[in-house]
Amino acid sequence: MEKHVIAVKTVEEKNDLSTGIVYRRRIATCQNVIPEILRKVSVLQVSEIYLEEESWLNAQERNMVLKTHCLTWTKFASLSEESVFRKSLENPNWTEFIQKGRISITGAGLLNCVLEAFAQAFLNQGVKKGIKIMETLLQEQYGCPFS
């Protein structure tokens, strides 16, 4: 549901019958969204970026953990994100959403700060899009408006 995602391939899936936890590892192919002006750096001149996503779904406990990191530019950049969806302690009918992200860019000289700022802005937009996508999925599944 994200416009920059070109393809997603599940490369591993395990269902632990003793715990009920479903583990999935997927590789996403995404469009390179780095602005053209920053692509003057040769290493950034790629059309696609690859991300690895791991997820652990525990339907019995009503929680899911997603961990994503960038497979492209691993020599120069570390981008990772962790999202947790879990049953709220306040109200069992609510879902808590917790998200953390880490960005570290090295080896780009003066562009390190510019690239980190762009990555941070992009991840912040991604958080908002992710919430909107989850609300849409829940609305389609359960027919309830979320605002």
Side-chain angles (χ1 to χ4, degrees):
M1 293 184 77
E2 217 304 317
K3 69 180 181 179
H4 300 294
V5 177
I6 299 166
V8 178
K9 180 180 180 182
T10 300
V11 293
E12 185 178 0
E13 186 167 345
K14 297 178 186 175
N15 191 348
D16 187 330
L17 299 176
S18 65
T19 62
I21 295 174
V22 177
Y23 168 81
R24 285 189 184 99
R25 187 167 63 91
R26 305 183 321 161
I27 305 296
T29 305
C30 305
Q31 293 173 341
N32 184 350
V33 296
I34 293 178
E36 287 295 325
I37 190 79
L38 297 177
R39 289 197 208 180
K40 301 295 182 202
V41 178
S42 62
V43 73
L44 300 177
Q45 295 174 359
V46 297
S47 59
E48 297 174 346
I49 297 170
Y50 299 96
L51 304 173
E52 180 180 62
E53 175 190 83
E54 294 181 281
S55 65
W56 295 263
L57 172 64
N58 186 333
Q60 294 171 352
E61 297 290 323
R62 291 183 49 207
N63 68 49
M64 181 171 67
V65 176
L66 294 166
K67 292 185 179 184
T68 306
H69 67 272
C70 185
L71 297 173
T72 308
W73 305 311
T74 55
K75 287 184 180 181
F76 306 100
S78 172
L79 288 87
S80 63
E81 186 177 79
E82 181 176 334
S83 302
V84 177
F85 299 86
R86 67 180 181 205
K87 180 174 53 176
S88 172
L89 297 175
E90 287 182 52
N91 183 334
N93 295 317
W94 295 350
T95 300
E96 289 182 0
F97 172 61
I98 302 160
Q99 190 168 48
K100 297 182 234 177
R102 291 188 188 100
I103 304 162
S104 175
I105 312 267
T106 58
L110 297 174
L111 285 179
N112 284 355
C113 292
V114 173
L115 291 169
E116 282 183 13
F118 172 77
Q120 182 179 13
F122 185 76
L123 288 177
N124 286 340
Q125 288 176 353
V127 169
K128 293 173 187 168
K129 287 179 188 176
I131 291 170
K132 196 74 174 155
I133 288 169
M134 187 58 72
E135 287 175 348
T136 300
L137 292 172
L138 290 170
Q139 187 169 3
E140 289 173 0
Q141 181 84 21
Y142 300 104
C144 305
F146 294 88
S147 302

